[in-house]
Each structure stands twice: as structure tokens, then as C-alpha cells.
Amino acid sequence: MSPKTFRVEHIFLNGEQYEYEWHVGGVKRLNLRIRPDGSIRVSTPLGVSTAQREQFLQANAPAIVRAVQRAKQKQAKQVDERSGKITHLGREIFVRVISAPPGQRKKAVCKVDDDQMPTELVVSVKGQQEEQEQRLLVDKAVREWEKGRLVSWVRACHQATILDLFSDFSRRRGEPMHSFVLNPTEFRVRDMKSRWASCNTKTGVLSFYRGLIRFPASCIEYVLVHEFAHFLQPDHSPAFHALMTELMPDWRQRRKQLNQR
């Protein structure tokens, strides 16, 4: 993993599985943070082993479980049922609807925490509109926001995770990295009905289902690895499954989690 990037990992604490972000670099010692939405961030210096990281988490398991539970309970009390909520990267965030100032068009503004993780989506609409029309405008604003967030997330994941995985694979095989893996032509977001994503192996264009941004980061990472792997193996043969296992050993568990939602 490159310095100052993060990867989604899982660990069992007190018999329950927890997802956390593992950030590498930029710190001198292991540290832990529970965000207001209950998500977990672990930062480690370069060179810290998996065993050291997991030992650190297990040593802090009681505090982590309590902090996550408190954060989720506090967040649940803050729900404004009049405005609603949506799911972003597997976490619920609130949607608050406000009246737009005169002359301002509808827009969605996202509030974030110190780690740039969304905490609330504020949608402004014209106050004099009928409730049904207002709801349609809110839904449209949310869809546009989701598309933008997904493209941004996919680009960041490509830089932080995909390039590392395929670079290691190419180095082990003694082969150059595929040009479209290194530099995909374009990331598109569409309202797909039967696929999570697709890739054009001839043009280097990758398309993603807009609603994918609602799923946990580990599920989206699986989809990205799956699509980029098609540049090396365009079918779903046993060779493709073997390639997926080499790139992402737990891909079947991630796929199962994705399809269960």
C-alpha cells in the first residue's frame, strides 16, 4: 500500500465483525478514531505488520465496541423524519430539505466531518412548490449528488487500491501493467437495471450503477477489481476466477455481501 492511502479491512471484536479504514503513513504511532457516525479509522506508521495492527485493535476492543454503540445511538436520535435519510458507503446519512433563497436553483450540499466523510446532505428547493413536486426535485438532487460522489470515490480507489494490486500482480508475473488498468479512458455512472458495472475492453471505458455508492466500501472495491480484471481476462472462465483470487483473496465473501443487500 502506498503512503497516506487507506484500505477497508474487517476484524472480529467480541464475536462481532467490524469494518474499519486502515490508513498508512503520516503518523508516528498506531492510533484509533471512532467517527460521529460510528465508523472506525485506524492509522499506522509505515512498516506496521498485520499482526501488530490486529493486536492493537483487540487490545482496544471494549472501548471500540462501546464508542461505536454510543455513536450509533446518538445518531439515531438526531434523525429528522420529515427530511429522511439515505445510505452512503453502507452508512446512513441524513437528508435535510431547506427553502432556497430567491433566484437560487435546487442544489445539494454535503456536510462532512474532519475525515471528509459525509454526515448530512442539505438539499435546497423552492418553498412554494407542491410537496410531490418538491419530493421529485429532492430525489433528482440526491441522484446527481450520488453520481458525483461515486465517480470521485472510484477515481480515488483506482489510485489508492487498484494500481497497487495490479502493480504487484504485474511485478510477480514479470509483465507490464495493462494500459487501461494504468490509465482507464473514462468512468461513467448509469442507471443500470441488471448489472453493478461493466467495462469495454476495447475502449477502456468503465460504467457503474449509480446506486453502488450506497454499498460498503469493501463491496465497491470488489466491483472495481472485478471490472479491471476483465482487461486481463475478458470472460468469466476458471482462469478469471483464479485471477480474482490472486488479486483479492476474499472476493467471494465481498460478492456475497453485495448480492445480499
PDB file of all heavy atoms in Angstrom, residues 151-177:
ATOM      1  N   VAL A 151     -18.268   8.745  -8.818  1.00  0.00           N
ATOM      2  CA  VAL A 151     -17.131   8.976  -9.714  1.00  0.00           C
ATOM      3  C   VAL A 151     -15.897   9.383  -8.909  1.00  0.00           C
ATOM      4  O   VAL A 151     -14.789   8.873  -9.142  1.00  0.00           O
ATOM      5  CB  VAL A 151     -17.467  10.057 -10.760  1.00  0.00           C
ATOM      6  CG1 VAL A 151     -16.210  10.474 -11.519  1.00  0.00           C
ATOM      7  CG2 VAL A 151     -18.500   9.533 -11.745  1.00  0.00           C
ATOM      8  N   SER A 152     -16.078  10.264  -7.931  1.00  0.00           N
ATOM      9  CA  SER A 152     -14.953  10.698  -7.098  1.00  0.00           C
ATOM     10  C   SER A 152     -14.375   9.528  -6.314  1.00  0.00           C
ATOM     11  O   SER A 152     -13.146   9.371  -6.209  1.00  0.00           O
ATOM     12  CB  SER A 152     -15.397  11.803  -6.133  1.00  0.00           C
ATOM     13  OG  SER A 152     -15.811  12.948  -6.838  1.00  0.00           O
ATOM     14  N   TRP A 153     -15.257   8.693  -5.773  1.00  0.00           N
ATOM     15  CA  TRP A 153     -14.794   7.563  -4.967  1.00  0.00           C
ATOM     16  C   TRP A 153     -14.060   6.548  -5.838  1.00  0.00           C
ATOM     17  O   TRP A 153     -13.015   6.027  -5.447  1.00  0.00           O
ATOM     18  CB  TRP A 153     -15.974   6.897  -4.259  1.00  0.00           C
ATOM     19  CG  TRP A 153     -15.553   6.070  -3.086  1.00  0.00           C
ATOM     20  CD1 TRP A 153     -15.506   6.443  -1.775  1.00  0.00           C
ATOM     21  CD2 TRP A 153     -15.084   4.705  -3.127  1.00  0.00           C
ATOM     22  NE1 TRP A 153     -15.041   5.409  -1.006  1.00  0.00           N
ATOM     23  CE2 TRP A 153     -14.773   4.337  -1.797  1.00  0.00           C
ATOM     24  CE3 TRP A 153     -14.901   3.778  -4.141  1.00  0.00           C
ATOM     25  CZ2 TRP A 153     -14.304   3.078  -1.473  1.00  0.00           C
ATOM     26  CZ3 TRP A 153     -14.416   2.517  -3.818  1.00  0.00           C
ATOM     27  CH2 TRP A 153     -14.124   2.183  -2.500  1.00  0.00           C
ATOM     28  N   VAL A 154     -14.599   6.262  -7.018  1.00  0.00           N
ATOM     29  CA  VAL A 154     -13.968   5.299  -7.931  1.00  0.00           C
ATOM     30  C   VAL A 154     -12.580   5.781  -8.333  1.00  0.00           C
ATOM     31  O   VAL A 154     -11.612   5.006  -8.359  1.00  0.00           O
ATOM     32  CB  VAL A 154     -14.859   5.074  -9.169  1.00  0.00           C
ATOM     33  CG1 VAL A 154     -14.074   4.374 -10.268  1.00  0.00           C
ATOM     34  CG2 VAL A 154     -16.085   4.244  -8.798  1.00  0.00           C
ATOM     35  N   ARG A 155     -12.461   7.068  -8.652  1.00  0.00           N
ATOM     36  CA  ARG A 155     -11.146   7.604  -9.021  1.00  0.00           C
ATOM     37  C   ARG A 155     -10.150   7.474  -7.876  1.00  0.00           C
ATOM     38  O   ARG A 155      -8.992   7.088  -8.082  1.00  0.00           O
ATOM     39  CB  ARG A 155     -11.289   9.080  -9.409  1.00  0.00           C
ATOM     40  CG  ARG A 155     -11.915   9.296 -10.782  1.00  0.00           C
ATOM     41  CD  ARG A 155     -12.158  10.768 -11.041  1.00  0.00           C
ATOM     42  NE  ARG A 155     -12.695  11.001 -12.380  1.00  0.00           N
ATOM     43  CZ  ARG A 155     -13.331  12.086 -12.746  1.00  0.00           C
ATOM     44  NH1 ARG A 155     -13.515  13.074 -11.860  1.00  0.00           N
ATOM     45  NH2 ARG A 155     -13.787  12.215 -13.972  1.00  0.00           N
ATOM     46  N   ALA A 156     -10.595   7.785  -6.660  1.00  0.00           N
ATOM     47  CA  ALA A 156      -9.704   7.687  -5.506  1.00  0.00           C
ATOM     48  C   ALA A 156      -9.309   6.242  -5.244  1.00  0.00           C
ATOM     49  O   ALA A 156      -8.143   5.951  -4.932  1.00  0.00           O
ATOM     50  CB  ALA A 156     -10.385   8.283  -4.273  1.00  0.00           C
ATOM     51  N   CYS A 157     -10.261   5.318  -5.379  1.00  0.00           N
ATOM     52  CA  CYS A 157      -9.966   3.899  -5.150  1.00  0.00           C
ATOM     53  C   CYS A 157      -9.016   3.364  -6.215  1.00  0.00           C
ATOM     54  O   CYS A 157      -8.148   2.535  -5.926  1.00  0.00           O
ATOM     55  CB  CYS A 157     -11.269   3.098  -5.141  1.00  0.00           C
ATOM     56  SG  CYS A 157     -11.062   1.374  -4.669  1.00  0.00           S
ATOM     57  N   HIS A 158      -9.175   3.834  -7.431  1.00  0.00           N
ATOM     58  CA  HIS A 158      -8.255   3.417  -8.501  1.00  0.00           C
ATOM     59  C   HIS A 158      -6.822   3.796  -8.148  1.00  0.00           C
ATOM     60  O   HIS A 158      -5.894   2.995  -8.300  1.00  0.00           O
ATOM     61  CB  HIS A 158      -8.670   4.068  -9.819  1.00  0.00           C
ATOM     62  CG  HIS A 158      -7.711   3.830 -10.938  1.00  0.00           C
ATOM     63  ND1 HIS A 158      -6.853   4.806 -11.412  1.00  0.00           N
ATOM     64  CD2 HIS A 158      -7.448   2.712 -11.673  1.00  0.00           C
ATOM     65  CE1 HIS A 158      -6.107   4.295 -12.378  1.00  0.00           C
ATOM     66  NE2 HIS A 158      -6.450   3.036 -12.568  1.00  0.00           N
ATOM     67  N   GLN A 159      -6.637   5.014  -7.638  1.00  0.00           N
ATOM     68  CA  GLN A 159      -5.301   5.479  -7.297  1.00  0.00           C
ATOM     69  C   GLN A 159      -4.753   4.804  -6.044  1.00  0.00           C
ATOM     70  O   GLN A 159      -3.569   4.474  -5.965  1.00  0.00           O
ATOM     71  CB  GLN A 159      -5.313   6.998  -7.098  1.00  0.00           C
ATOM     72  CG  GLN A 159      -5.576   7.778  -8.376  1.00  0.00           C
ATOM     73  CD  GLN A 159      -4.484   7.592  -9.413  1.00  0.00           C
ATOM     74  OE1 GLN A 159      -3.297   7.689  -9.098  1.00  0.00           O
ATOM     75  NE2 GLN A 159      -4.870   7.314 -10.647  1.00  0.00           N
ATOM     76  N   ALA A 160      -5.629   4.591  -5.047  1.00  0.00           N
ATOM     77  CA  ALA A 160      -5.159   4.104  -3.746  1.00  0.00           C
ATOM     78  C   ALA A 160      -5.086   2.587  -3.652  1.00  0.00           C
ATOM     79  O   ALA A 160      -4.288   2.059  -2.882  1.00  0.00           O
ATOM     80  CB  ALA A 160      -6.078   4.627  -2.632  1.00  0.00           C
ATOM     81  N   THR A 161      -5.908   1.870  -4.425  1.00  0.00           N
ATOM     82  CA  THR A 161      -6.001   0.416  -4.262  1.00  0.00           C
ATOM     83  C   THR A 161      -5.737  -0.356  -5.546  1.00  0.00           C
ATOM     84  O   THR A 161      -4.893  -1.254  -5.575  1.00  0.00           O
ATOM     85  CB  THR A 161      -7.396   0.039  -3.722  1.00  0.00           C
ATOM     86  OG1 THR A 161      -7.625   0.704  -2.485  1.00  0.00           O
ATOM     87  CG2 THR A 161      -7.504  -1.472  -3.499  1.00  0.00           C
ATOM     88  N   ILE A 162      -6.453  -0.022  -6.611  1.00  0.00           N
ATOM     89  CA  ILE A 162      -6.355  -0.794  -7.852  1.00  0.00           C
ATOM     90  C   ILE A 162      -4.936  -0.802  -8.402  1.00  0.00           C
ATOM     91  O   ILE A 162      -4.396  -1.859  -8.766  1.00  0.00           O
ATOM     92  CB  ILE A 162      -7.326  -0.240  -8.914  1.00  0.00           C
ATOM     93  CG1 ILE A 162      -8.773  -0.329  -8.422  1.00  0.00           C
ATOM     94  CG2 ILE A 162      -7.161  -0.984 -10.237  1.00  0.00           C
ATOM     95  CD1 ILE A 162      -9.246  -1.733  -8.130  1.00  0.00           C
ATOM     96  N   LEU A 163      -4.312   0.360  -8.470  1.00  0.00           N
ATOM     97  CA  LEU A 163      -2.960   0.423  -9.023  1.00  0.00           C
ATOM     98  C   LEU A 163      -1.979  -0.406  -8.210  1.00  0.00           C
ATOM     99  O   LEU A 163      -1.094  -1.063  -8.775  1.00  0.00           O
ATOM    100  CB  LEU A 163      -2.493   1.880  -9.105  1.00  0.00           C
ATOM    101  CG  LEU A 163      -3.201   2.751 -10.158  1.00  0.00           C
ATOM    102  CD1 LEU A 163      -2.658   4.171 -10.124  1.00  0.00           C
ATOM    103  CD2 LEU A 163      -3.039   2.150 -11.550  1.00  0.00           C
ATOM    104  N   ASP A 164      -2.130  -0.401  -6.877  1.00  0.00           N
ATOM    105  CA  ASP A 164      -1.248  -1.210  -6.029  1.00  0.00           C
ATOM    106  C   ASP A 164      -1.439  -2.700  -6.308  1.00  0.00           C
ATOM    107  O   ASP A 164      -0.468  -3.454  -6.474  1.00  0.00           O
ATOM    108  CB  ASP A 164      -1.526  -0.925  -4.551  1.00  0.00           C
ATOM    109  CG  ASP A 164      -0.783   0.309  -4.048  1.00  0.00           C
ATOM    110  OD1 ASP A 164      -0.009   0.890  -4.831  1.00  0.00           O
ATOM    111  OD2 ASP A 164      -0.991   0.685  -2.884  1.00  0.00           O
ATOM    112  N   LEU A 165      -2.702  -3.148  -6.341  1.00  0.00           N
ATOM    113  CA  LEU A 165      -2.986  -4.569  -6.539  1.00  0.00           C
ATOM    114  C   LEU A 165      -2.457  -5.068  -7.880  1.00  0.00           C
ATOM    115  O   LEU A 165      -1.791  -6.106  -7.962  1.00  0.00           O
ATOM    116  CB  LEU A 165      -4.491  -4.820  -6.459  1.00  0.00           C
ATOM    117  CG  LEU A 165      -5.162  -4.684  -5.097  1.00  0.00           C
ATOM    118  CD1 LEU A 165      -6.664  -4.905  -5.216  1.00  0.00           C
ATOM    119  CD2 LEU A 165      -4.577  -5.682  -4.099  1.00  0.00           C
ATOM    120  N   PHE A 166      -2.743  -4.330  -8.949  1.00  0.00           N
ATOM    121  CA  PHE A 166      -2.347  -4.780 -10.279  1.00  0.00           C
ATOM    122  C   PHE A 166      -0.856  -4.561 -10.526  1.00  0.00           C
ATOM    123  O   PHE A 166      -0.248  -5.299 -11.302  1.00  0.00           O
ATOM    124  CB  PHE A 166      -3.188  -4.077 -11.343  1.00  0.00           C
ATOM    125  CG  PHE A 166      -4.576  -4.648 -11.478  1.00  0.00           C
ATOM    126  CD1 PHE A 166      -5.588  -4.255 -10.621  1.00  0.00           C
ATOM    127  CD2 PHE A 166      -4.857  -5.609 -12.442  1.00  0.00           C
ATOM    128  CE1 PHE A 166      -6.868  -4.788 -10.726  1.00  0.00           C
ATOM    129  CE2 PHE A 166      -6.128  -6.147 -12.562  1.00  0.00           C
ATOM    130  CZ  PHE A 166      -7.140  -5.741 -11.698  1.00  0.00           C
ATOM    131  N   SER A 167      -0.263  -3.580  -9.866  1.00  0.00           N
ATOM    132  CA  SER A 167       1.187  -3.385  -9.983  1.00  0.00           C
ATOM    133  C   SER A 167       1.928  -4.569  -9.363  1.00  0.00           C
ATOM    134  O   SER A 167       2.892  -5.081  -9.944  1.00  0.00           O
ATOM    135  CB  SER A 167       1.589  -2.080  -9.302  1.00  0.00           C
ATOM    136  OG  SER A 167       2.994  -1.922  -9.320  1.00  0.00           O
ATOM    137  N   ASP A 168       1.470  -5.002  -8.168  1.00  0.00           N
ATOM    138  CA  ASP A 168       2.080  -6.176  -7.530  1.00  0.00           C
ATOM    139  C   ASP A 168       1.901  -7.410  -8.404  1.00  0.00           C
ATOM    140  O   ASP A 168       2.818  -8.233  -8.541  1.00  0.00           O
ATOM    141  CB  ASP A 168       1.440  -6.411  -6.156  1.00  0.00           C
ATOM    142  CG  ASP A 168       1.827  -5.355  -5.142  1.00  0.00           C
ATOM    143  OD1 ASP A 168       2.806  -4.626  -5.397  1.00  0.00           O
ATOM    144  OD2 ASP A 168       1.141  -5.244  -4.106  1.00  0.00           O
ATOM    145  N   PHE A 169       0.703  -7.565  -8.980  1.00  0.00           N
ATOM    146  CA  PHE A 169       0.426  -8.713  -9.848  1.00  0.00           C
ATOM    147  C   PHE A 169       1.360  -8.703 -11.063  1.00  0.00           C
ATOM    148  O   PHE A 169       1.963  -9.727 -11.410  1.00  0.00           O
ATOM    149  CB  PHE A 169      -1.036  -8.677 -10.300  1.00  0.00           C
ATOM    150  CG  PHE A 169      -1.394  -9.717 -11.309  1.00  0.00           C
ATOM    151  CD1 PHE A 169      -1.681 -11.025 -10.911  1.00  0.00           C
ATOM    152  CD2 PHE A 169      -1.448  -9.418 -12.663  1.00  0.00           C
ATOM    153  CE1 PHE A 169      -2.006 -11.995 -11.845  1.00  0.00           C
ATOM    154  CE2 PHE A 169      -1.772 -10.385 -13.602  1.00  0.00           C
ATOM    155  CZ  PHE A 169      -2.058 -11.680 -13.195  1.00  0.00           C
ATOM    156  N   SER A 170       1.505  -7.560 -11.703  1.00  0.00           N
ATOM    157  CA  SER A 170       2.369  -7.454 -12.885  1.00  0.00           C
ATOM    158  C   SER A 170       3.823  -7.728 -12.541  1.00  0.00           C
ATOM    159  O   SER A 170       4.550  -8.378 -13.301  1.00  0.00           O
ATOM    160  CB  SER A 170       2.240  -6.056 -13.506  1.00  0.00           C
ATOM    161  OG  SER A 170       0.929  -5.821 -13.966  1.00  0.00           O
ATOM    162  N   ARG A 171       4.241  -7.253 -11.367  1.00  0.00           N
ATOM    163  CA  ARG A 171       5.623  -7.472 -10.942  1.00  0.00           C
ATOM    164  C   ARG A 171       5.881  -8.963 -10.698  1.00  0.00           C
ATOM    165  O   ARG A 171       6.936  -9.483 -11.080  1.00  0.00           O
ATOM    166  CB  ARG A 171       5.903  -6.662  -9.677  1.00  0.00           C
ATOM    167  CG  ARG A 171       7.357  -6.643  -9.265  1.00  0.00           C
ATOM    168  CD  ARG A 171       7.675  -5.521  -8.297  1.00  0.00           C
ATOM    169  NE  ARG A 171       6.718  -5.446  -7.195  1.00  0.00           N
ATOM    170  CZ  ARG A 171       5.844  -4.464  -7.039  1.00  0.00           C
ATOM    171  NH1 ARG A 171       5.794  -3.476  -7.924  1.00  0.00           N
ATOM    172  NH2 ARG A 171       5.028  -4.451  -6.012  1.00  0.00           N
ATOM    173  N   ARG A 172       4.909  -9.647 -10.082  1.00  0.00           N
ATOM    174  CA  ARG A 172       5.077 -11.091  -9.842  1.00  0.00           C
ATOM    175  C   ARG A 172       5.134 -11.866 -11.154  1.00  0.00           C
ATOM    176  O   ARG A 172       5.866 -12.849 -11.268  1.00  0.00           O
ATOM    177  CB  ARG A 172       3.926 -11.624  -8.980  1.00  0.00           C
ATOM    178  CG  ARG A 172       3.950 -11.151  -7.537  1.00  0.00           C
ATOM    179  CD  ARG A 172       3.012 -11.984  -6.681  1.00  0.00           C
ATOM    180  NE  ARG A 172       1.631 -11.923  -7.145  1.00  0.00           N
ATOM    181  CZ  ARG A 172       0.742 -11.007  -6.749  1.00  0.00           C
ATOM    182  NH1 ARG A 172       1.113 -10.062  -5.900  1.00  0.00           N
ATOM    183  NH2 ARG A 172      -0.497 -11.021  -7.210  1.00  0.00           N
ATOM    184  N   ARG A 173       4.356 -11.431 -12.130  1.00  0.00           N
ATOM    185  CA  ARG A 173       4.317 -12.124 -13.423  1.00  0.00           C
ATOM    186  C   ARG A 173       5.447 -11.685 -14.361  1.00  0.00           C
ATOM    187  O   ARG A 173       5.647 -12.296 -15.413  1.00  0.00           O
ATOM    188  CB  ARG A 173       2.970 -11.865 -14.111  1.00  0.00           C
ATOM    189  CG  ARG A 173       1.762 -12.456 -13.392  1.00  0.00           C
ATOM    190  CD  ARG A 173       1.790 -13.979 -13.439  1.00  0.00           C
ATOM    191  NE  ARG A 173       0.636 -14.561 -12.798  1.00  0.00           N
ATOM    192  CZ  ARG A 173      -0.501 -14.894 -13.428  1.00  0.00           C
ATOM    193  NH1 ARG A 173      -0.628 -14.651 -14.723  1.00  0.00           N
ATOM    194  NH2 ARG A 173      -1.500 -15.441 -12.772  1.00  0.00           N
ATOM    195  N   GLY A 174       6.108 -10.601 -13.991  1.00  0.00           N
ATOM    196  CA  GLY A 174       7.147 -10.092 -14.873  1.00  0.00           C
ATOM    197  C   GLY A 174       6.594  -9.501 -16.150  1.00  0.00           C
ATOM    198  O   GLY A 174       7.237  -9.548 -17.209  1.00  0.00           O
ATOM    199  N   GLU A 175       5.396  -8.934 -16.070  1.00  0.00           N
ATOM    200  CA  GLU A 175       4.721  -8.373 -17.239  1.00  0.00           C
ATOM    201  C   GLU A 175       4.392  -6.899 -16.989  1.00  0.00           C
ATOM    202  O   GLU A 175       4.182  -6.488 -15.845  1.00  0.00           O
ATOM    203  CB  GLU A 175       3.411  -9.131 -17.516  1.00  0.00           C
ATOM    204  CG  GLU A 175       3.597 -10.618 -17.757  1.00  0.00           C
ATOM    205  CD  GLU A 175       2.266 -11.342 -17.826  1.00  0.00           C
ATOM    206  OE1 GLU A 175       1.229 -10.700 -17.537  1.00  0.00           O
ATOM    207  OE2 GLU A 175       2.263 -12.547 -18.157  1.00  0.00           O
ATOM    208  N   PRO A 176       4.345  -6.096 -18.050  1.00  0.00           N
ATOM    209  CA  PRO A 176       3.964  -4.685 -17.872  1.00  0.00           C
ATOM    210  C   PRO A 176       2.489  -4.568 -17.497  1.00  0.00           C
ATOM    211  O   PRO A 176       1.687  -5.443 -17.831  1.00  0.00           O
ATOM    212  CB  PRO A 176       4.237  -4.070 -19.250  1.00  0.00           C
ATOM    213  CG  PRO A 176       4.117  -5.223 -20.208  1.00  0.00           C
ATOM    214  CD  PRO A 176       4.646  -6.425 -19.457  1.00  0.00           C
ATOM    215  N   MET A 177       2.128  -3.501 -16.816  1.00  0.00           N
ATOM    216  CA  MET A 177       0.739  -3.284 -16.446  1.00  0.00           C
ATOM    217  C   MET A 177      -0.075  -2.953 -17.699  1.00  0.00           C
ATOM    218  O   MET A 177       0.383  -2.217 -18.563  1.00  0.00           O
ATOM    219  CB  MET A 177       0.618  -2.154 -15.421  1.00  0.00           C
ATOM    220  CG  MET A 177      -0.785  -2.003 -14.923  1.00  0.00           C
ATOM    221  SD  MET A 177      -1.034  -1.671 -13.162  1.00  0.00           S
ATOM    222  CE  MET A 177       0.291  -0.689 -12.637  1.00  0.00           C
TER     223      MET A 177
END
